[in-house]
Amino acid sequence: ILNVEQSPQSLHVQEGDSTNFTCSFPSSNFYALHWYRWETAKSPEALFVMTLNGDEKKKGRISATLNTKEGYSYLYIKGSQPEDSATYLCAFHTNSGYALNFGKGTSLLVTP
Amino acid sequence: EADIYQTPRYLVIGTGKKITLECSQTMGHDKMYWYQQDPGMELHLIHYSYGVNSTEKGDLSSESTVSRIRTEHFPLTLESARPSHTSQYLCASSEYLGTGNEQYFGPGTRLTVT
């Protein structure tokens, strides 16, 4: 089981604040880095799948960057809204199989 | 929204009972997975399948078993439930490795064994 670290564990921000989370993963045998958003009572939803060092991806107010050489990825949310409240999961994928190795997630609460 | 379904969503059952957790997907994906999440912990892979009649154990040891007789169906069975099996179980599927293996998840089954 490969170790994926996410920080912070939880975050409480006000509506309109921008925020970011970190995911650290082993840099050897890297294949892909996934970010998922998991709202309570719903299915985890894929936000980004990144495979190349230096990748930057954006979906609306959410963006992510990837550094495979040093083994980290950042997720940014600009102008947080209450509907952004969810757990954000990072998962790392090696080139030796199909399994995703997940971190424990960052739980985000955005209050009006 | 992904077309992957799990039933039941919640199950409370007594020790010693046999349980089958259902997972179905309508996307025609070859690869399917079962993950287990204990409270406050990460999702861990317990079973996966590359296609019909293919099943493998994941990184986390589990007393459960799985079968893959049809592409769309990947049920998980516990022959004799114990309180240590209390957890959340998520099913997922993916199409192929070339796109980074994006996985589509069901809503999960929250199992409590009393």
Side-chain angles (χ1 to χ4, degrees):
Chain A
I1 295 177
L2 299 171
N3 199 31
V4 179
E5 299 286 343
Q6 289 190 248
S7 62
Q9 185 176 348
S10 63
L11 199 53
H12 182 187
V13 302
Q14 296 296 311
E15 182 176 356
D17 289 348
S18 294
T19 187
N20 64 85
F21 323 135
T22 303
C23 172
S24 300
F25 54 88
S27 55
S28 60
N29 300 321
F30 176 85
Y31 181 76
L33 191 286
H34 297 218
W35 282 100
Y36 288 86
R37 174 169 59 201
W38 193 1
E39 296 179 62
T40 303
K42 293 187 177 180
S43 308
E45 172 198 359
L47 289 172
F48 305 111
V49 178
M50 295 186 287
T51 57
L52 298 176
N53 184 45
D55 255 355
E56 290 188 29
K57 296 212 171 180
K58 187 175 181 181
K59 183 184 289 189
R61 293 179 291 98
I62 305 176
S63 60
T65 62
L66 177 66
N67 183 323
T68 61
K69 295 188 187 306
E70 296 182 41
Y72 64 84
S73 175
Y74 295 134
L75 186 79
Y76 302 92
I77 302 179
K78 184 178 178 181
S80 302
Q81 300 296 309
E83 59 264 31
D84 296 328
S85 298
T87 296
Y88 291 81
L89 296 173
C90 165
F92 163 72
H93 190 318
T94 70
N95 55 18
S96 60
Y98 295 103
L100 285 176
N101 299 277
F102 282 87
K104 291 183 181 181
T106 293
S107 177
L108 173 67
L109 177 63
V110 183
T111 50
Chain B
E1 193 165 313
D3 297 318
I4 181 162
Y5 309 98
Q6 290 186 243
T7 57
R9 293 288 307 274
Y10 303 92
L11 180 61
V12 180
I13 202 161
T15 297
K17 300 289 187 183
K18 180 178 179 178
I19 304 166
T20 296
L21 307 184
E22 301 288 348
C23 175
S24 296
Q25 51 98 2
T26 58
M27 296 172 283
H29 289 171
D30 285 331
K31 298 163 190 58
M32 295 189 73
Y33 315 84
W34 276 102
Y35 291 88
Q36 181 178 342
Q37 186 187 37
D38 294 330
M41 301 299 290
E42 307 90 334
L43 285 162
H44 284 293
L45 184 72
I46 51 173
H47 297 285
Y48 61 99
S49 168
Y50 293 155
V52 171
N53 294 325
S54 150
T55 61
E56 301 285 345
K57 288 191 177 295
D59 297 327
L60 185 69
S61 175
S62 174
E63 295 170 345
S64 58
T65 59
V66 292
S67 62
R68 189 88 183 276
I69 298 171
R70 304 197 315 266
T71 298
E72 62 271 22
H73 195 213
F74 191 40
L76 180 146
T77 298
L78 279 162
E79 289 293 333
S80 179
R82 295 210 298 265
S84 60
H85 297 141
T86 294
S87 191
Q88 180 160 220
Y89 295 84
L90 279 94
C91 181
S93 71
S94 66
E95 190 172 12
Y96 55 87
L97 200 59
T99 57
N101 196 31
E102 177 177 339
Q103 296 188 10
Y104 298 85
F105 283 85
T109 294
R110 194 173 292 277
L111 173 65
T112 303
V113 183
T114 59

